[in-house]
Amino acid sequence: MSTHRRDFLRSSLAASTLVSIGGSTIPGFLARSARAAGIPAGGDRILVVVQLLGGNDGLNTVVPHGIDGYHRNRRRLRLAEARLHRLDDEIGLHPGMGRMAELVEGGRLAIAQGVGYPNPDRSHFRSMEIWETARLDNRPDALEAGWLGRSLDQHPPRPGEDTPALHIGGGRSPLAMKARSVAVPSLERLDQFKLQLAGSEGERRSAREAMGDVARPDRGDDPLLGFLRRSTLAAYESSRRLEEVVGESAESSYPNYDLARRLEQIARIIKAGFGTRIYYTRQDGYDTHANQLDPHAALLNELSDSLAAFHDDLDKAGLADRVAVLVFSEFGRRVGENASHGTDHGAAAPVFVVGPVRQAGLVGEHPGLEEADLDEGDLRFHTDFRRVYAAMLGHWLGVPAAPIVGEGFDPLPLLPESRG
Amino acid sequence: MRTPSPLHDPDRAWSRFEPTGPEPWDLARVAHLHRRAGFLASWEALRRDLDAGPEESVSRLLEGEAVALDGTPAPEFERLMDALARGPGTAGEGPGLQSAWLYRMIFSPHPLRERMTLFWHDHFATSIEKVGDARLMRRQNDLLRRLALGSFDELLRAIARDPAMLVWLDATANRKGRPNENYAREVMELFSIGRGHYTERDVREAARAFTGTFVLRGTYRHDPREFDGGEKSILGRTGPFDGEAVAGILLDRPECARFLARKLFRLFISEVEVPPDELIEPVAASYRESGYDSRVPVEMILRSRLFFDPLMRRRRVKSPVEFAVGTIRALEILSPTVPTDELARACGRMGQSLFAPPSVAGWDGGPAWINTTTTLARSNAVLALLGDARRFDPESLAARHGSSGDPAAFFVDLLAQDAFDRDVRARIRGSAREAALLVLTAPEYQLA
């Protein structure tokens, strides 16, 4: 650990800046403001990132049926205009995205078109690295932290606070969340966030009380032990609140999809009043090189229904204006279909933002489809993805974006600015 | 604290601990020794060392026991463990390696050596996530274990040729004219002299000295044609240096022994207090004078008054591996022991996946081990142990050691001794199972 970081930890131990949560009288939301992770300003805003793994075919997601090039390039994979969810005269959403079309109508979904970066890399691995770090260079430190991780490093959490970020899903935390100052946990299941007590409800309650009793602060505590006590109580309190919330929602309103289940977990954690401000989850399967139509429809259906269920859930809890969801993929696919009824790796693609968007619907033009418009057979980007990140960081979370994405990336006007 | 800090009197601090009336060789000191230099100890081992005195108890930790906890003679145990780590199921992947190492720690006749192996793993932090080859990770682990209490001089030179390290730091093809600065930087910043004691120019020049380094099919190779044999100027010395010479230059710097002595202070004494320079200097000097024999500063610390000073108790946060392995050893959950693949996953949830540290700087450690998720993971690991009646019965453990009458007192003495203030201690009561749960999840028990 760097000396600087150790001093920081030591001074925050000594300063005893942490709230102690005595007993169970503080409701989650009051306690939260005191325990919210270190990102300043905008206070309670939350960002959820959904990464579509494999390279989503943007052309068959936000479909330019009114542009000639679409029909010329997509003979077998063409989607019938009549079945699309119309956004304007030229563009409609994939037939499986009815719930997302409703979100547009409700003023809750913005679609940034033509998003990418210069000299697109068509390797999944490298392009994911570029998106997840917001770094296009090959300097040794480029992969040391992700874009969200760097925002955590700018405002490291104080000891004892809830984790500032969470990855929900299997495997390791994504590179986007990699930080120097904090290890972002990966949770596959919420029960990792629960105290696994056994026995009857009464037995569980008394065990919990006895454990909390032992951890209760003592007058003579030195700073290190005091910190341990507060963290322990905060953890028990978090898990207790979570159980309450989970208990309330035994009836799930979510569709039976993996992505929906992960978003439901995120919603539960948010509703429990955790201090966590950044959540990340993934949906895999978008690498559609062959026989693309049916699997792609199933994926978009899962995405659309899951996002809508998540939004409805938060809306019912009165939290929909505090949460923004960013949906992206490492690249789009080639404009022309391949010989196997699929598509190969491409470049620019749309990015979705769900939440209290400034303007619902399409943001920016659809990239041109004429031969002269294309970049070696791929859509040419006109909006650098770092402008989208700058909006998420600067406008939404109230974190200075330039140190993270670099200078000169004007935030895209997607979300209201935080009044820090 | 009204008493003068023991940290400001180096002579007294590093003088040998001798039991006296006011400073007896008691259960709290015996247990502290095992908490810091081993992985806790069974009730029997605590009693034995209480009778044996500090001299013999520290020697036993430095030398290792004659038999492992499963009754196997030590040399045979080490051979078996080496075979286990090479065996099927570990050959290709991380989880097998993690399992094998945890198993080794649980039964080890030489817990201090395993603690030091873990220390060097954190110091020369390398992750299988990037290296991708379990064989290379195992070989690095063998190297760290072989020299855990041996020559740091040899270790620093060997790590520069360690394939896992070179893959980890992208130094597998270091060509003349395009030197890779990564290893050159980390060897100074993290492995030897620490930040602030070298310049960017030193890094660039040292990078040239490491040219010619290649890893081919998992093996280190030096290609003289790609070695830049020109003059380099590193830390005030000039010559046609190669990697070996750079290691020598770094080991000659007084900052190197100080840097390591500070790390050993954090490992054995306190993560909270910042030791003043004059307190670190005697340890650094003995390290340097021994030619970097790591056993020398370790022994100096473990036999010192400072180490046994009650003010230095519980000044560290137990790492997840320390916490898990220590608990299992103290509770004698040995036949059968906990499935170590599950234990490895539990350690991961607590924030420490062996062979997968978060970065080249290793684990942050200290208070950073503790947050909501990791605290719950610790409590849940305890609940899982206590819920596994086939492997562990707290009643019978207390009865076996003649403490059926007051199980709470037994578990406090076994696991935490003097940790609790009187009114906190009064909250620990109930059946053997309840008392064990309360001690193991107590904030005090997370400290070492």
Side-chain angles (χ1 to χ4, degrees):
Chain A
M1 171 163 30
S2 72
T3 326
H4 167 77
R5 168 124 178 97
R6 264 207 302 282
D7 292 345
F8 169 78
L9 280 170
R10 203 175 294 109
S11 64
S12 42
L13 282 179
S16 290
T17 45
L18 304 158
V19 272
S20 72
I21 298 150
S24 55
T25 50
I26 303 182
F29 283 105
L30 288 177
R32 188 199 49 249
S33 53
R35 274 201 326 282
I39 291 176
D44 286 345
R45 288 179 168 190
I46 288 167
L47 175 66
V48 180
V49 178
V50 178
Q51 182 174 12
L52 312 181
L53 293 176
N56 175 37
D57 183 12
L59 208 59
N60 263 15
T61 306
V62 180
V63 187
H65 62 83
I67 302 178
D68 281 348
Y70 179 67
H71 301 272
R72 265 204 318 278
N73 282 290
R74 295 291 173 96
R75 299 200 176 273
R76 289 179 169 281
L77 299 183
R78 187 187 306 158
L79 298 167
E81 185 184 338
R83 296 181 51 231
L84 299 174
H85 301 281
R86 197 190 129 93
L87 293 175
D88 66 17
D89 290 343
E90 286 189 333
I91 313 255
L93 287 177
H94 184 286
M97 295 170 73
R99 296 298 314 280
M100 278 172 87
E102 288 169 25
L103 286 174
V104 174
E105 279 162 37
R108 310 294 295 179
L109 171 63
I111 303 164
Q113 304 202 84
V115 182
Y117 55 88
N119 307 314
D121 198 300
R122 289 171 186 80
S123 141
H124 289 293
F125 185 70
R126 179 62 194 139
S127 199
M128 283 200 279
E129 282 180 351
I130 288 169
W131 273 87
E132 292 191 48
T133 59
R135 291 273 297 260
L136 274 57
D137 61 279
N138 281 316
R139 283 200 294 277
D141 67 338
L143 300 181
E144 281 179 8
W147 70 285
L148 293 165
R150 293 204 294 276
S151 79
L152 303 176
D153 286 335
Q154 281 187 13
H155 304 279
R158 285 189 294 271
E161 288 176 330
D162 286 340
T163 176
L166 261 179
H167 166 234
I168 304 287
R172 303 274 302 171
S173 268
L175 176 58
M177 305 276 255
K178 190 174 167 193
R180 292 160 181 277
S181 62
V182 54
V184 172
S186 270
L187 291 186
E188 263 183 281
R189 302 182 318 275
L190 272 199
D191 54 19
Q192 293 173 3
F193 231 109
K194 286 166 63 176
L195 217 41
Q196 306 290 327
L197 293 160
S200 69
E201 195 178 328
E203 285 167 331
R204 292 202 305 272
R205 196 174 43 243
S206 75
R208 195 191 283 279
E209 276 169 15
M211 287 161 74
D213 253 358
V214 170
R216 214 171 47 224
D218 211 50
R219 286 183 313 280
D221 287 339
D222 75 75
L224 182 63
L225 182 55
F227 159 69
L228 259 296
R229 288 196 197 287
R230 288 187 299 271
S231 306
T232 306
L233 285 171
Y236 293 168
E237 176 66 10
S238 297
S239 90
R240 192 191 59 76
R241 292 202 321 268
L242 198 65
E243 272 179 53
E244 274 177 7
V245 170
V246 170
E248 281 167 21
S249 56
E251 280 294 296
S252 173
S253 56
Y254 283 70
N256 188 16
Y257 292 121
D258 284 350
L259 177 62
R261 262 189 294 277
R262 289 195 294 275
L263 290 170
E264 182 174 25
Q265 307 231 20
I266 292 172
R268 287 182 183 188
I269 297 172
I270 293 171
K271 290 190 292 185
F274 275 70
T276 305
R277 307 273 316 274
I278 297 172
Y279 298 86
Y280 205 102
T281 192
R282 303 174 177 128
Q283 187 195 13
D284 200 353
Y286 284 90
D287 197 18
T288 48
H289 285 283
N291 303 318
Q292 168 182 317
L293 275 177
D294 288 348
H296 192 234
L299 288 166
L300 292 178
N301 211 347
E302 172 172 353
L303 175 68
S304 174
D305 290 2
S306 303
L307 286 174
F310 180 64
H311 182 268
D312 291 352
D313 186 8
L314 293 173
D315 201 28
K316 271 210 256 324
L319 299 169
D321 283 347
R322 286 186 37 218
V323 182
V325 186
L326 170 70
V327 184
F328 81 98
S329 191
E330 72 261 29
F331 41 58
R333 305 195 78 84
R334 288 206 167 286
V335 174
E337 58 200 36
N338 65 22
S340 322
H341 309 172
T343 48
D344 298 322
H345 301 182
V351 161
F352 302 92
V353 177
V354 184
V357 294
R358 293 194 202 189
Q359 189 200 327
L362 298 168
V363 177
E365 294 293 308
H366 194 286
L369 291 173
E370 294 306 312
E371 209 50 47
D373 301 323
L374 300 182
D375 171 17
E376 297 180 13
D378 283 331
L379 296 179
R380 199 180 287 277
F381 85 103
H382 54 65
T383 298
D384 195 296
F385 75 101
R386 287 165 289 187
R387 294 186 59 202
V388 176
Y389 286 0
M392 299 301 131
L393 295 164
H395 285 173
W396 184 246
L397 293 175
V399 177
I404 294 168
V405 301
E407 298 289 342
F409 296 104
D410 251 3
L412 208 61
L414 294 165
L415 290 162
E417 286 188 55
S418 68
R419 287 175 301 281
Chain B
M1 308 271 176
R2 287 272 165 263
T3 37
S5 167
L7 300 173
H8 292 290
D9 185 351
D11 289 348
R12 185 187 155 86
W14 300 123
S15 62
R16 215 179 178 82
F17 170 75
E18 305 282 356
T20 59
E23 295 182 349
W25 181 242
D26 56 3
L27 184 65
R29 285 194 168 83
V30 177
H32 174 78
L33 174 65
H34 282 281
R35 228 178 3 249
R36 289 277 174 89
F39 294 103
L40 304 195
S42 67
W43 187 243
E44 222 163 282
L46 291 176
R47 305 294 318 174
R48 177 200 63 189
D49 287 353
L50 190 58
D51 291 341
E55 195 76 25
E56 195 183 318
S57 301
V58 173
S59 296
R60 215 194 316 265
L61 278 161
L62 287 163
E63 300 302 330
E65 309 255 0
V67 286
L69 267 55
D70 61 0
T72 318
E76 191 187 328
F77 174 83
E78 301 295 346
R79 273 197 302 278
L80 271 170
M81 290 302 107
D82 288 343
L84 177 69
R86 283 178 184 72
T90 54
E93 47 186 340
L97 280 182
Q98 295 180 339
S99 268
W101 194 5
L102 285 166
Y103 188 92
R104 184 176 207 142
M105 290 189 216
I106 290 168
F107 289 98
S108 176
H110 204 330
L112 176 61
R113 184 164 58 201
E114 296 307 320
R115 287 290 302 259
M116 288 303 293
T117 308
L118 190 54
F119 169 79
W120 294 120
H121 176 37
D122 186 34
H123 183 80
F124 293 115
T126 306
S127 172
I128 193 166
E129 296 279 321
K130 178 162 171 187
V131 175
D133 185 339
R135 250 176 347 139
L136 303 188
M137 295 301 294
R138 180 180 51 73
R139 283 183 201 152
Q140 187 191 72
N141 190 248
D142 291 346
L143 168 71
L144 302 178
R145 181 171 295 102
R146 181 169 65 83
L147 297 171
L149 283 160
S151 167
F152 177 76
D153 181 312
E154 189 184 337
L155 185 52
L156 187 67
R157 292 171 197 275
I159 214 80
R161 299 187 301 268
D162 177 67
M165 175 61 77
L166 295 170
V167 172
W168 168 238
L169 293 181
D170 305 304
T172 54
N174 205 347
R175 296 176 193 281
K176 184 163 59 178
R178 280 180 293 154
N180 173 305
E181 290 181 6
N182 211 4
Y183 184 79
R185 177 181 310 282
E186 303 308 3
V187 74
M188 294 185 192
E189 179 180 341
L190 297 169
F191 303 162
S192 65
I193 55 180
R195 279 177 71 145
H197 302 297
Y198 57 90
T199 65
E200 283 301 309
R201 179 156 180 241
D202 291 323
V203 172
R204 280 197 302 275
E205 295 281 280
R208 292 174 49 218
F210 287 109
T211 49
T213 296
F214 288 82
V215 176
L216 297 168
R217 289 181 301 283
T219 309
Y220 168 81
R221 294 259 189 278
H222 189 266
D223 181 348
R225 288 165 309 176
E226 290 291 353
F227 173 63
D228 174 348
E231 290 272 298
K232 295 123 193 149
S233 200
I234 301 168
L235 295 164
R237 295 177 36 187
T238 305
F241 302 128
D242 61 4
E244 277 288 311
V246 173
I249 292 170
L250 294 171
L251 290 160
D252 281 346
R253 304 292 297 186
E255 295 91 356
C256 182
R258 284 182 203 135
F259 181 73
L260 293 164
R262 281 187 179 276
K263 277 195 134 176
L264 290 171
F265 180 96
R266 272 178 67 74
L267 176 70
F268 288 117
I269 308 258
S270 171
E271 285 171 336
V272 186
E273 279 83 11
V274 184
D277 291 350
E278 59 273 19
L279 186 71
I280 288 299
E281 202 48 46
V283 181
S286 75
Y287 205 0
R288 228 176 11 249
E289 284 153 21
S290 72
Y292 286 101
D293 176 357
S294 296
R295 185 190 153 122
V296 169
V298 169
E299 179 164 10
M300 178 174 169
I301 292 171
L302 294 182
R303 295 200 189 277
S304 71
R305 293 182 79 145
L306 182 63
F307 179 80
F308 286 110
D309 190 313
L311 288 175
M312 293 296 123
R313 283 179 206 157
R314 284 171 285 275
R315 309 309 292 146
R316 300 177 56 254
V317 180
K318 285 177 186 169
S319 79
V321 167
E322 237 177 287
F323 171 81
V325 173
T327 301
I328 289 166
R329 283 177 69 114
L331 299 178
E332 301 171 46
I333 306 176
L334 301 173
S335 52
T337 193
V338 177
T340 47
D341 57 341
E342 176 45 43
L343 192 68
R345 284 191 292 275
C347 287
R349 290 192 290 271
M350 296 180 227
Q352 190 175 29
S353 290
L354 290 173
F355 298 100
S359 79
V360 64
W363 289 278
D364 275 357
W369 287 125
I370 301 297
N371 62 44
T372 303
T373 324
T374 56
T375 302
L376 290 169
R378 286 186 187 221
S379 296
N380 284 335
V382 167
L383 288 162
L385 278 183
L386 292 173
D388 189 348
R390 194 169 69 86
R391 290 191 172 81
F392 177 57
D393 176 12
E395 301 285 348
S396 73
L397 183 74
R400 204 162 58 239
H401 297 300
S403 301
S404 317
D406 190 353
F410 170 71
F411 283 108
V412 169
D413 285 346
L414 171 69
L415 298 166
Q417 305 82 37
D418 60 327
F420 299 113
D421 282 354
R422 191 179 322 189
D423 46 355
V424 179
R425 171 65 185 83
R427 302 170 204 162
I428 296 169
R429 47 182 186 260
S431 67
R433 185 171 298 277
E434 286 161 343
L437 172 65
L438 293 178
V439 176
L440 293 168
T441 55
E444 290 86 343
Y445 184 73
Q446 315 313 309
L447 300 174

